[in-house]
Amino acid sequence: MQKKNIVILISGQGSNMQAIVRAAQAQRWSQRHGAQVLGVVSNKAASAGLAWAREQGLATAVVEHAAYPTREAFDAELVRAIDALDPQTPPALVVLAGFMRILTPDFVDHYTGRLVNIHPSLLPAFAGLHTHRRAIEAGCKFAGATVHRVTAELDHGEFLDQAVVPVLPGDTPDTLAARVLTQEHLIYPRAIERLLAPAV
Ligand code: GAR
């Protein structure tokens, strides 16, 4: 079976990353799909998720965006850091999990067909930031999350999975975000596993 490396990109707590790593272990992706979470890359050295990844024995790398003069220079270093995790085997999937940087077309091109993201809204509604506040302010009765392939256009690309939650009376952006996040932890590993499974 061909080895399939997964690299996860984070900026913060990395709860989606944790859900993916746990699913990979519990569902034996290594034996079933030849897939492993190879490593985690963050644009912030202080990301809580990085410490957790290190505790799991995963390879980690930090590429601080603030250290680069342009988006292009940052993204070029990011590609280098991702691909250096296993110089012999390019990643089969690069998984954006709360990675809060807009990526350049060059980065997206480099990983065409291998790049996925989770966005905390029911796309195509509420691309961009502050999705939960915007859903509440718009009077939405439902909110949710979308796993999608990444294209050069922000929060576009083929939808791979979605989950819906109710917006409840009295919800704040934080209470709604927490409800959505519980669903993100289900749909993101599920969508990734579907991509790893050989077509029948
Ligand atoms: C998640 O809700 C994810 O959907 C969102 O950030 C959170 C990260 O949480 N992503 C974006 O807003 C991307 N534009 P996590 O670090 O606990 O996985």
Side-chain angles (χ1 to χ4, degrees):
M1 203 174 344
Q2 194 195 346
K3 182 164 86 169
K4 293 173 187 156
N5 285 330
I6 302 169
V7 176
I8 305 179
L9 271 52
I10 64 169
S11 298
Q13 63 174 348
S15 70
N16 277 293
M17 168 204 67
Q18 293 187 25
I20 294 161
V21 170
R22 291 200 170 105
Q25 289 162 351
Q27 298 164 14
R28 299 183 302 112
W29 289 0
S30 172
Q31 292 94 319
R32 291 173 48 232
H33 306 307
Q36 58 165 348
V37 177
L38 175 68
V40 176
V41 181
S42 176
N43 62 316
K44 291 187 180 172
S47 309
L50 267 186
W52 186 88
R54 280 192 207 103
E55 282 164 22
Q56 305 305 302
L58 295 171
T60 61
V62 176
V63 184
E64 290 268 13
H65 62 271
Y68 295 85
T70 60
R71 248 181 229 290
E72 286 71 21
F74 169 67
D75 279 11
E77 181 56 23
L78 198 56
V79 165
R80 200 205 54 74
I82 293 168
D83 290 352
L85 289 171
D86 181 349
Q88 265 71 53
T89 313
L93 279 180
V94 175
V95 171
L96 308 179
F99 186 68
M100 303 304 282
R101 302 300 302 169
I102 293 176
L103 296 162
T104 57
D106 279 355
F107 182 96
V108 175
D109 278 354
H110 184 83
Y111 295 112
T112 294
R114 301 183 281 159
L115 193 55
V116 295
N117 181 43
I118 190 158
H119 181 74
S121 79
L122 291 170
L123 290 173
F126 307 126
L129 295 174
H130 310 299
T131 54
H132 306 300
R133 177 167 60 67
R134 289 158 66 203
I136 291 168
E137 283 175 4
C140 293
K141 300 299 175 204
F142 293 94
T146 305
V147 180
H148 64 97
R149 290 191 188 275
V150 175
T151 62
E153 198 178 347
L154 181 69
D155 298 330
H156 277 65
E158 179 195 353
F159 300 164
L160 300 172
D161 208 344
Q162 289 188 307
V164 180
V165 302
V167 180
L168 299 177
D171 259 344
T172 65
D174 284 347
T175 60
L176 181 55
R179 191 174 310 117
V180 170
L181 200 56
T182 62
Q183 297 306 305
E184 294 186 39
H185 298 162
L186 300 178
I187 62 171
Y188 212 1
R190 191 168 75 193
I192 291 167
E193 204 213 346
R194 245 186 261 130
L195 292 174
L196 296 170
V200 281

